[in-house]
mmCIF file of all heavy atoms in Angstrom:
data_model
loop_
_atom_site.group_PDB
_atom_site.id
_atom_site.type_symbol
_atom_site.label_atom_id
_atom_site.label_comp_id
_atom_site.label_asym_id
_atom_site.label_seq_id
_atom_site.Cartn_x
_atom_site.Cartn_y
_atom_site.Cartn_z
ATOM 1 N N LEU A 11 -11.826 4.532 -9.233
ATOM 2 C CA LEU A 11 -13.002 4.650 -10.131
ATOM 3 C C LEU A 11 -12.984 3.588 -11.234
ATOM 4 O O LEU A 11 -14.021 3.003 -11.524
ATOM 5 C CB LEU A 11 -13.016 6.069 -10.765
ATOM 6 C CG LEU A 11 -14.134 6.271 -11.783
ATOM 7 C CD1 LEU A 11 -15.493 6.092 -11.192
ATOM 8 C CD2 LEU A 11 -14.021 7.690 -12.409
ATOM 9 N N ASP A 12 -11.814 3.318 -11.871
ATOM 10 C CA ASP A 12 -11.803 2.424 -12.997
ATOM 11 C C ASP A 12 -12.295 1.035 -12.645
ATOM 12 O O ASP A 12 -13.073 0.413 -13.400
ATOM 13 C CB ASP A 12 -10.377 2.338 -13.597
ATOM 14 C CG ASP A 12 -9.948 3.667 -14.211
ATOM 15 O OD1 ASP A 12 -10.791 4.594 -14.268
ATOM 16 O OD2 ASP A 12 -8.777 3.785 -14.621
ATOM 17 N N SER A 13 -11.896 0.530 -11.505
ATOM 18 C CA SER A 13 -12.350 -0.797 -11.141
ATOM 19 C C SER A 13 -13.828 -0.806 -10.779
ATOM 20 O O SER A 13 -14.523 -1.791 -11.057
ATOM 21 C CB SER A 13 -11.498 -1.410 -10.009
ATOM 22 O OG SER A 13 -11.638 -0.634 -8.817
ATOM 23 N N MET A 14 -14.309 0.299 -10.207
ATOM 24 C CA MET A 14 -15.747 0.390 -9.953
ATOM 25 C C MET A 14 -16.551 0.356 -11.245
ATOM 26 O O MET A 14 -17.509 -0.339 -11.371
ATOM 27 C CB MET A 14 -16.070 1.705 -9.212
ATOM 28 C CG MET A 14 -15.637 1.761 -7.770
ATOM 29 S SD MET A 14 -16.106 3.415 -7.143
ATOM 30 C CE MET A 14 -15.564 3.319 -5.479
ATOM 31 N N LEU A 15 -16.074 1.167 -12.219
ATOM 32 C CA LEU A 15 -16.766 1.209 -13.502
ATOM 33 C C LEU A 15 -16.797 -0.131 -14.163
ATOM 34 O O LEU A 15 -17.843 -0.599 -14.673
ATOM 35 C CB LEU A 15 -16.083 2.230 -14.425
ATOM 36 C CG LEU A 15 -16.253 3.720 -14.105
ATOM 37 C CD1 LEU A 15 -15.339 4.541 -14.999
ATOM 38 C CD2 LEU A 15 -17.697 4.131 -14.285
ATOM 39 N N ALA A 16 -15.618 -0.795 -14.167
ATOM 40 C CA ALA A 16 -15.523 -2.081 -14.866
ATOM 41 C C ALA A 16 -16.505 -3.087 -14.266
ATOM 42 O O ALA A 16 -17.210 -3.820 -15.018
ATOM 43 C CB ALA A 16 -14.085 -2.609 -14.762
ATOM 44 N N ALA A 17 -16.559 -3.150 -12.941
ATOM 45 C CA ALA A 17 -17.459 -4.129 -12.278
ATOM 46 C C ALA A 17 -18.914 -3.788 -12.569
ATOM 47 O O ALA A 17 -19.718 -4.651 -12.866
ATOM 48 C CB ALA A 17 -17.198 -4.077 -10.772
ATOM 49 N N ARG A 18 -19.203 -2.473 -12.551
ATOM 50 C CA ARG A 18 -20.591 -2.049 -12.746
ATOM 51 C C ARG A 18 -21.059 -2.320 -14.160
ATOM 52 O O ARG A 18 -22.183 -2.745 -14.390
ATOM 53 C CB ARG A 18 -20.662 -0.561 -12.378
ATOM 54 C CG ARG A 18 -21.937 0.142 -12.723
ATOM 55 C CD ARG A 18 -23.107 -0.335 -11.864
ATOM 56 N NE ARG A 18 -24.312 0.242 -12.434
ATOM 57 C CZ ARG A 18 -24.774 1.461 -12.154
ATOM 58 N NH1 ARG A 18 -24.143 2.220 -11.272
ATOM 59 N NH2 ARG A 18 -25.866 1.924 -12.742
ATOM 60 N N ILE A 19 -20.193 -2.085 -15.152
ATOM 61 C CA ILE A 19 -20.549 -2.303 -16.570
ATOM 62 C C ILE A 19 -20.963 -3.759 -16.753
ATOM 63 O O ILE A 19 -21.997 -4.068 -17.363
ATOM 64 C CB ILE A 19 -19.345 -1.989 -17.502
ATOM 65 C CG1 ILE A 19 -19.063 -0.460 -17.500
ATOM 66 C CG2 ILE A 19 -19.611 -2.472 -18.922
ATOM 67 C CD1 ILE A 19 -17.708 -0.098 -18.091
ATOM 68 N N VAL A 20 -20.145 -4.663 -16.190
ATOM 69 C CA VAL A 20 -20.424 -6.090 -16.412
ATOM 70 C C VAL A 20 -21.639 -6.520 -15.596
ATOM 71 O O VAL A 20 -22.470 -7.311 -16.068
ATOM 72 C CB VAL A 20 -19.153 -6.937 -16.066
ATOM 73 C CG1 VAL A 20 -19.431 -8.401 -16.243
ATOM 74 C CG2 VAL A 20 -17.994 -6.493 -16.951
ATOM 75 N N LYS A 21 -21.775 -5.981 -14.415
ATOM 76 C CA LYS A 21 -22.972 -6.293 -13.598
ATOM 77 C C LYS A 21 -24.232 -5.882 -14.362
ATOM 78 O O LYS A 21 -25.240 -6.605 -14.368
ATOM 79 C CB LYS A 21 -22.846 -5.519 -12.289
ATOM 80 C CG LYS A 21 -24.045 -5.543 -11.394
ATOM 81 C CD LYS A 21 -23.965 -6.681 -10.454
ATOM 82 C CE LYS A 21 -25.236 -6.777 -9.605
ATOM 83 N NZ LYS A 21 -25.415 -8.037 -8.959
ATOM 84 N N ASP A 22 -24.198 -4.714 -15.003
ATOM 85 C CA ASP A 22 -25.358 -4.238 -15.751
ATOM 86 C C ASP A 22 -25.673 -5.094 -16.978
ATOM 87 O O ASP A 22 -26.734 -4.987 -17.551
ATOM 88 C CB ASP A 22 -25.139 -2.755 -16.200
ATOM 89 C CG ASP A 22 -25.283 -1.784 -15.053
ATOM 90 O OD1 ASP A 22 -25.622 -2.243 -13.930
ATOM 91 O OD2 ASP A 22 -25.020 -0.592 -15.232
ATOM 92 N N LEU A 23 -24.717 -5.925 -17.361
ATOM 93 C CA LEU A 23 -24.964 -6.843 -18.490
ATOM 94 C C LEU A 23 -25.558 -8.170 -18.008
ATOM 95 O O LEU A 23 -25.641 -9.141 -18.755
ATOM 96 C CB LEU A 23 -23.671 -7.092 -19.286
ATOM 97 C CG LEU A 23 -23.087 -5.831 -20.003
ATOM 98 C CD1 LEU A 23 -21.761 -6.157 -20.672
ATOM 99 C CD2 LEU A 23 -24.102 -5.320 -21.029
ATOM 100 N N GLY A 24 -25.891 -8.205 -16.744
ATOM 101 C CA GLY A 24 -26.563 -9.408 -16.210
ATOM 102 C C GLY A 24 -25.672 -10.466 -15.641
ATOM 103 O O GLY A 24 -26.142 -11.569 -15.362
ATOM 104 N N ILE A 25 -24.408 -10.127 -15.475
ATOM 105 C CA ILE A 25 -23.469 -11.130 -14.923
ATOM 106 C C ILE A 25 -23.430 -10.974 -13.392
ATOM 107 O O ILE A 25 -23.507 -9.874 -12.848
ATOM 108 C CB ILE A 25 -22.022 -10.918 -15.504
ATOM 109 C CG1 ILE A 25 -22.041 -10.932 -17.003
ATOM 110 C CG2 ILE A 25 -21.040 -11.902 -14.893
ATOM 111 C CD1 ILE A 25 -22.296 -12.283 -17.631
ATOM 112 N N ASP A 26 -23.298 -12.098 -12.715
ATOM 113 C CA ASP A 26 -23.191 -12.121 -11.272
ATOM 114 C C ASP A 26 -21.745 -11.775 -10.899
ATOM 115 O O ASP A 26 -20.868 -12.621 -11.010
ATOM 116 C CB ASP A 26 -23.559 -13.553 -10.850
ATOM 117 C CG ASP A 26 -23.783 -13.691 -9.383
ATOM 118 O OD1 ASP A 26 -23.652 -12.686 -8.689
ATOM 119 O OD2 ASP A 26 -24.067 -14.821 -8.935
ATOM 120 N N VAL A 27 -21.506 -10.510 -10.530
ATOM 121 C CA VAL A 27 -20.123 -10.067 -10.282
ATOM 122 C C VAL A 27 -19.775 -10.153 -8.806
ATOM 123 O O VAL A 27 -20.528 -9.756 -7.950
ATOM 124 C CB VAL A 27 -19.937 -8.611 -10.782
ATOM 125 C CG1 VAL A 27 -18.511 -8.102 -10.431
ATOM 126 C CG2 VAL A 27 -20.169 -8.516 -12.278
ATOM 127 N N ILE A 28 -18.576 -10.739 -8.550
ATOM 128 C CA ILE A 28 -18.049 -10.830 -7.171
ATOM 129 C C ILE A 28 -16.747 -10.021 -7.144
ATOM 130 O O ILE A 28 -15.895 -10.219 -7.985
ATOM 131 C CB ILE A 28 -17.760 -12.292 -6.795
ATOM 132 C CG1 ILE A 28 -19.064 -13.095 -6.862
ATOM 133 C CG2 ILE A 28 -17.121 -12.402 -5.418
ATOM 134 C CD1 ILE A 28 -18.852 -14.581 -7.086
ATOM 135 N N GLY A 29 -16.651 -9.085 -6.187
ATOM 136 C CA GLY A 29 -15.461 -8.253 -6.144
ATOM 137 C C GLY A 29 -14.344 -8.901 -5.317
ATOM 138 O O GLY A 29 -14.629 -9.558 -4.335
ATOM 139 N N LEU A 30 -13.133 -8.728 -5.782
ATOM 140 C CA LEU A 30 -11.983 -9.199 -5.006
ATOM 141 C C LEU A 30 -11.096 -8.020 -4.685
ATOM 142 O O LEU A 30 -10.655 -7.291 -5.583
ATOM 143 C CB LEU A 30 -11.153 -10.230 -5.798
ATOM 144 C CG LEU A 30 -9.796 -10.571 -5.148
ATOM 145 C CD1 LEU A 30 -9.967 -11.262 -3.803
ATOM 146 C CD2 LEU A 30 -8.976 -11.475 -6.085
ATOM 147 N N CYS A 31 -10.847 -7.798 -3.418
ATOM 148 C CA CYS A 31 -9.969 -6.712 -3.028
ATOM 149 C C CYS A 31 -8.744 -7.292 -2.369
ATOM 150 O O CYS A 31 -8.827 -8.037 -1.419
ATOM 151 C CB CYS A 31 -10.805 -5.984 -2.160
ATOM 152 S SG CYS A 31 -10.865 -4.999 -1.175
ATOM 153 N N CYS A 32 -7.603 -7.040 -3.002
ATOM 154 C CA CYS A 32 -6.352 -7.573 -2.487
ATOM 155 C C CYS A 32 -5.774 -6.571 -1.476
ATOM 156 O O CYS A 32 -5.505 -5.424 -1.836
ATOM 157 C CB CYS A 32 -5.342 -7.802 -3.621
ATOM 158 S SG CYS A 32 -5.821 -9.150 -4.702
ATOM 159 N N VAL A 33 -5.622 -6.991 -0.271
ATOM 160 C CA VAL A 33 -5.076 -6.118 0.786
ATOM 161 C C VAL A 33 -3.546 -6.181 0.697
ATOM 162 O O VAL A 33 -2.985 -7.293 0.778
ATOM 163 C CB VAL A 33 -5.571 -6.560 2.174
ATOM 164 C CG1 VAL A 33 -5.010 -5.648 3.246
ATOM 165 C CG2 VAL A 33 -7.086 -6.544 2.224
ATOM 166 N N MET A 34 -2.918 -5.011 0.484
ATOM 167 C CA MET A 34 -1.486 -5.004 0.244
ATOM 168 C C MET A 34 -0.790 -4.028 1.231
ATOM 169 O O MET A 34 -1.446 -3.109 1.709
ATOM 170 C CB MET A 34 -1.215 -4.582 -1.175
ATOM 171 C CG MET A 34 -1.766 -5.569 -2.181
ATOM 172 S SD MET A 34 -1.110 -5.327 -3.801
ATOM 173 C CE MET A 34 -1.943 -3.872 -4.292
ATOM 174 N N PRO A 35 0.482 -4.238 1.452
ATOM 175 C CA PRO A 35 1.124 -3.433 2.514
ATOM 176 C C PRO A 35 1.420 -1.973 2.157
ATOM 177 O O PRO A 35 1.736 -1.181 3.012
ATOM 178 C CB PRO A 35 2.460 -4.183 2.747
ATOM 179 C CG PRO A 35 2.719 -4.967 1.482
ATOM 180 C CD PRO A 35 1.370 -5.257 0.894
ATOM 181 N N PHE A 36 1.378 -1.616 0.870
ATOM 182 C CA PHE A 36 1.813 -0.271 0.498
ATOM 183 C C PHE A 36 0.699 0.606 -0.079
ATOM 184 O O PHE A 36 0.940 1.592 -0.757
ATOM 185 C CB PHE A 36 2.984 -0.339 -0.478
ATOM 186 C CG PHE A 36 4.158 -1.103 0.070
ATOM 187 C CD1 PHE A 36 4.429 -2.395 -0.312
ATOM 188 C CD2 PHE A 36 4.971 -0.514 1.032
ATOM 189 C CE1 PHE A 36 5.485 -3.103 0.227
ATOM 190 C CE2 PHE A 36 6.043 -1.200 1.561
ATOM 191 C CZ PHE A 36 6.297 -2.503 1.184
ATOM 192 N N SER A 37 -0.553 0.186 0.175
ATOM 193 C CA SER A 37 -1.670 0.897 -0.387
ATOM 194 C C SER A 37 -1.724 2.349 0.090
ATOM 195 O O SER A 37 -1.450 2.616 1.258
ATOM 196 C CB SER A 37 -2.937 0.170 -0.036
ATOM 197 O OG SER A 37 -4.029 0.906 -0.518
ATOM 198 N N LEU A 38 -2.045 3.255 -0.806
ATOM 199 C CA LEU A 38 -2.169 4.686 -0.413
ATOM 200 C C LEU A 38 -3.592 4.999 0.046
ATOM 201 O O LEU A 38 -3.800 6.033 0.630
ATOM 202 C CB LEU A 38 -1.901 5.513 -1.659
ATOM 203 C CG LEU A 38 -0.527 6.112 -1.827
ATOM 204 C CD1 LEU A 38 -0.447 6.926 -3.111
ATOM 205 C CD2 LEU A 38 -0.125 6.961 -0.641
ATOM 206 N N ARG A 39 -4.495 4.113 -0.282
ATOM 207 C CA ARG A 39 -5.893 4.437 0.017
ATOM 208 C C ARG A 39 -6.111 4.341 1.512
ATOM 209 O O ARG A 39 -5.711 3.391 2.162
ATOM 210 C CB ARG A 39 -6.812 3.491 -0.717
ATOM 211 C CG ARG A 39 -6.648 3.606 -2.203
ATOM 212 C CD ARG A 39 -7.713 2.880 -2.976
ATOM 213 N NE ARG A 39 -7.386 2.868 -4.375
ATOM 214 C CZ ARG A 39 -7.528 3.904 -5.216
ATOM 215 N NH1 ARG A 39 -8.026 5.009 -4.724
ATOM 216 N NH2 ARG A 39 -7.177 3.819 -6.435
ATOM 217 N N ASP A 40 -6.720 5.377 2.055
ATOM 218 C CA ASP A 40 -6.911 5.395 3.518
ATOM 219 C C ASP A 40 -8.187 4.630 3.896
ATOM 220 O O ASP A 40 -8.850 4.038 3.042
ATOM 221 C CB ASP A 40 -6.929 6.813 4.040
ATOM 222 C CG ASP A 40 -8.084 7.608 3.483
ATOM 223 O OD1 ASP A 40 -9.045 6.971 2.978
ATOM 224 O OD2 ASP A 40 -8.053 8.833 3.516
ATOM 225 N N LYS A 41 -8.503 4.718 5.154
ATOM 226 C CA LYS A 41 -9.636 3.917 5.648
ATOM 227 C C LYS A 41 -10.956 4.305 4.980
ATOM 228 O O LYS A 41 -11.829 3.488 4.776
ATOM 229 C CB LYS A 41 -9.755 4.074 7.170
ATOM 230 C CG LYS A 41 -8.649 3.362 7.884
ATOM 231 C CD LYS A 41 -9.036 3.099 9.316
ATOM 232 C CE LYS A 41 -8.073 2.126 9.951
ATOM 233 N NZ LYS A 41 -6.947 2.751 10.654
ATOM 234 N N ALA A 42 -11.067 5.604 4.618
ATOM 235 C CA ALA A 42 -12.328 6.060 4.021
ATOM 236 C C ALA A 42 -12.514 5.456 2.620
ATOM 237 O O ALA A 42 -13.602 5.200 2.219
ATOM 238 C CB ALA A 42 -12.309 7.570 3.915
ATOM 239 N N GLU A 43 -11.414 5.225 1.908
ATOM 240 C CA GLU A 43 -11.523 4.791 0.502
ATOM 241 C C GLU A 43 -11.289 3.329 0.322
ATOM 242 O O GLU A 43 -11.845 2.699 -0.563
ATOM 243 C CB GLU A 43 -10.380 5.450 -0.307
ATOM 244 C CG GLU A 43 -10.616 6.790 -0.747
ATOM 245 C CD GLU A 43 -9.408 7.195 -1.579
ATOM 246 O OE1 GLU A 43 -9.325 6.673 -2.719
ATOM 247 O OE2 GLU A 43 -8.572 7.941 -1.106
ATOM 248 N N GLY A 44 -10.360 2.804 1.100
ATOM 249 C CA GLY A 44 -9.653 1.560 0.793
ATOM 250 C C GLY A 44 -10.419 0.304 0.826
ATOM 251 O O GLY A 44 -11.614 0.310 0.600
ATOM 252 N N PRO A 45 -9.746 -0.807 1.028
ATOM 253 C CA PRO A 45 -10.447 -2.080 1.032
ATOM 254 C C PRO A 45 -11.120 -2.391 2.364
ATOM 255 O O PRO A 45 -11.766 -3.378 2.515
ATOM 256 C CB PRO A 45 -9.320 -3.086 0.733
ATOM 257 C CG PRO A 45 -8.088 -2.434 1.164
ATOM 258 C CD PRO A 45 -8.306 -0.938 1.114
ATOM 259 N N GLN A 46 -10.921 -1.505 3.353
ATOM 260 C CA GLN A 46 -11.412 -1.818 4.695
ATOM 261 C C GLN A 46 -12.957 -1.795 4.787
ATOM 262 O O GLN A 46 -13.600 -1.164 3.991
ATOM 263 C CB GLN A 46 -10.888 -0.824 5.737
ATOM 264 C CG GLN A 46 -9.398 -0.836 5.876
ATOM 265 C CD GLN A 46 -8.704 0.060 4.839
ATOM 266 O OE1 GLN A 46 -9.327 0.546 3.923
ATOM 267 N NE2 GLN A 46 -7.434 0.268 5.018
ATOM 268 N N GLU A 47 -13.461 -2.443 5.822
ATOM 269 C CA GLU A 47 -14.880 -2.405 6.107
ATOM 270 C C GLU A 47 -15.320 -0.935 6.240
ATOM 271 O O GLU A 47 -14.625 -0.139 6.843
ATOM 272 C CB GLU A 47 -15.201 -3.096 7.450
ATOM 273 C CG GLU A 47 -14.713 -4.535 7.558
ATOM 274 C CD GLU A 47 -15.662 -5.530 6.952
ATOM 275 O OE1 GLU A 47 -16.783 -5.129 6.634
ATOM 276 O OE2 GLU A 47 -15.234 -6.678 6.755
ATOM 277 N N GLY A 48 -16.498 -0.602 5.732
ATOM 278 C CA GLY A 48 -17.011 0.742 5.888
ATOM 279 C C GLY A 48 -16.425 1.747 4.921
ATOM 280 O O GLY A 48 -16.697 2.951 5.004
#
Side-chain angles (χ1 to χ4, degrees):
L11 176 60
D12 294 354
S13 64
M14 287 179 179
L15 287 172
R18 171 69 189 275
I19 291 165
V20 179
K21 172 91 183 164
D22 285 355
L23 295 176
I25 304 290
D26 192 359
V27 176
I28 298 157
L30 169 64
C31 163
C32 291
V33 179
M34 297 196 285
F36 301 103
S37 177
L38 263 180
R39 298 191 190 283
D40 63 18
K41 289 201 168 92
E43 277 184 74
Q46 298 86 348
E47 305 277 347

